[in-house]
Every structure is written in C-alpha cells, then in structure tokens.
Amino acid sequence: MGIEDIPTRNDDLIHHQAPSRKSSTSTESPIPSTKSNNKASFLRRTGNAILYWLKDQWFLVALACLIAIASQYQVPLGHQSQKSTIVTYLCVAIIFFMTGCTLSTRTLIENYARWKLHLFVQVQCFLLTSVLCFAVVSGCARNRNFMDPGLLIGLLFTGCVPTTISSNVVMTRQAHGNVALTVVQSTLGNLLGPFLTPVLIYMYNSGGEWYTKVLPEENGSFELIYRRVFKQLGLSIFVPLFVGQMIQNLFPTQTSHIFTKYKLNKLGSICLLVVIWSTYDQSFSTGAFTSVKPSNVIFVVFISIALLILLLTTCFTLSMLWLPKADTISVCYCVPAKTPAMGVPLAHVMFVGISAQLESKIQIPLVIYQGLQIVGGSLLTVFFRRWIERQEEAAVEVAATSVPALAPKNGIVENEAERKS
C-alpha cells in the first residue's frame, strides 16, 4: 500500500505544481509582449513623424542635395553665362505665369494701390538693411587683419540690393500669406534697385575707408544694367504674369480645375530650386568659396544669421501693429530677402575692372545670405501656416456659433408673418 501511494502522491504533486507554473508563466509573458508593443509603437510614431517632416520640408531636403551636387559638379565656366540666362528667364517666367493663373486680378490691382504699404516695405528693404550691414562692416573694419576687404564690400553690397522675387512668391504661397502683395512689393523693389543700390553703395563707400581701396576709382556705365534689368523684368515677370491673368479670366473654371487636380503649384517650388542651384553652381565654378579664409566664411554665415533674425523680428513686430496676418507674412518675406539675380550683374557693372577673384569675394556674402534666407523662409512656412489656420478656425467657430442663434429668430419671424397672412 505504501508503495502504491508514492506515485499517487507524486501525481498529486505534479498536478498541484503544474497550475502554479502556468500561472507564473501567464503573469510574466505580457511583460515582454508589452515592451515589444511599446517599442513597435514608438518606432511607428517616429517613422511617421520623420515621413511627415520629409513630406512637409521636402524643399529643404532637395535644396541641401542640390547644393551638395553643385559643390562637386559644376557647369563649365565658359557656359555659365548661357546657363544663367536660360535658368533666369525660363524658371522665373514659369513661376510668374503660374502666379498669374492663380491670382485674382482685382486683388492684384488693389495691392498696387496701397502706396503707404509700399513705402513701409521699401524703406525697410533698402534703408534699414543697408544701415545694419554698414554698422557690421564698420565694426569689423577696425581690425584690418580680421576680415578680407572683398567680403566687407560684399556684406555692404548685400544690404543694398533689392529683395528677391521668385522665392518670395513661392514661400508666401506656401505660408498662406498675401501672394498678391508679395508680387507687387518684389517687382517694385526690383524696379527701384538699379536706381537706389548704386546710390547707397557710393554713399557708404564715400568715407575713404581702407577696405574701399580695392575698388576701382571710375564708375561703371549703368545704361547696360538698366537695359538688362528692365528686359529681364519684362520678359520673365510682367509678360508671363499678364498672360496668366488673361488665361485665368478667359477660362476660370478650367484653370482652377487643372491647377487643383494636378497640384501645379509644386512646379513653382521646383523652378525655384533650379534658380538657387544655378547661383551656387556659379559660385563654386568661379572658386568664390576657396578664395578666402574659412574663418571669414564662418563669420559671414553667423553674422548673416544674426542679421536675418534681427530683420525678421523688426519687420514682424512693426507689421503686427497695423497689418493683418496675411500682409504681415508677405512683409516678413520681402524685407529680409536679397536677390543674387540682380546683385551679381549690378556688382559686375558697378565695379568695372576688378579681378575675377575679387568679384567672387564680393558675391560670397550675397550667396550665403540667399541660402540662409531660403532655409529660414522654408522653416517659417510651418509657423505661419499654423498661425493663419488658427485664425481661420476661430473665424469658423464664431460663424458656427452665430448661425444657430439667428436661426430661431428667423424661424419666429417667418411663422409670425405666416400667422398674420
């Protein structure tokens, strides 16, 4: 009997122990499963966030890739002039043709009539920026061994050139700002540039500072630059804009359908990328970045960032005092921006007889500033879009809450009228 009891007890012991093992396994198994689920969820959220950022900021990613390509492979120097002409006319013409097709004619005319706003923007664009750059140059010029004189002239020149056109229009549209106002201010600034930029340059260089000795004493003839600038403005801006306006007014439904269905606004961003690539391709091709000390280039980068932040803060604060949000966005893109498309030919005509190396040095601050303003402008589109969308959502909520309050009153009025009848 005792021998028979042993297996019975062992079986009972096994039966008693088995559930405890299962229970311990069941209580411990969800822990790694939960950890793996949390890890997978975290990776999924991270991947979605990266994809969203890449989709939203694809312009910056493409810009970085194009600058990297331009630094390694350039169009031959002998073909740079032909390349710049094709890119400037073709790409800018496409941007403004699309703007003409999507911009209301009435809105465009109304913005041309706002002379107080024109004065507000152009004074900041020419006088404020040039004064700040002259203050920086005067401070750096105290130590003759600190900065290359060509870079000092280039910094001063950057502050005196007009605003850019194509990037302003593309960025303002992406940020949901007043595109019509940007078109007006950009074209007006480039019309004033050939007249105001030389006057400002000669005024700031009239003091006889040591860094101005590298410039020629004789002045260039501006007949050529006037002819070139106004030809470029006419063929690449005003004619495409006019043709786009004609198509929009003659075929409004078809135009709106095509631009909405095929998302043709992306084509303007692609054209802008080509324009920026062309500028950097020319700078690397002429050896502009290798002609100065790396420490000087680093200083130009940091001082350009500081100037860009200061100008953005100033124009944003002043605009908020009396302008709506959409106009404020337009001003924030027009005031700090500077255009190499006009700055480079202006420098070539103004400083007659300088060497190719000195001309490259003068162009370095303008090219660096352009890249930084594009990066800053692209990042600001996210902030500005949310800023505008909050205003639009608030307006929708106010409208939604006001409609039910009016509906009963209208219903009562109608019922009372029916009763009286």
Side-chain angles (χ1 to χ4, degrees), residues 334-346:
C334 290
V335 170
K338 297 297 177 182
T339 172
M342 182 174 292
V344 172
L346 272 174

Side-chain angles (χ1 to χ4, degrees), residues 284-304:
F284 284 111
S285 178
T286 57
F289 294 100
T290 58
S291 61
V292 294
K293 296 185 295 184
S295 59
N296 284 178
V297 176
I298 294 173
F299 176 80
V300 171
V301 171
F302 280 100
I303 202 64
S304 298

Side-chain angles (χ1 to χ4, degrees), residues 172-202:
T172 304
R173 182 182 290 111
Q174 292 177 355
H176 299 174
N178 189 344
V179 180
L181 180 60
T182 300
V183 171
V184 171
Q185 297 301 334
S186 299
T187 53
L188 182 60
N190 280 262
L191 285 172
L192 295 174
F195 302 99
L196 295 181
T197 299
V199 174
L200 293 172
I201 289 293
Y202 293 140

Side-chain angles (χ1 to χ4, degrees), residues 10 18 100 189 194 204 216 225 235 238 240 316 332 355 410:
N10 289 337
Y204 289 126
I225 192 64
L235 295 179
F238 291 115
F316 180 81
C332 288
S355 63
N410 294 333

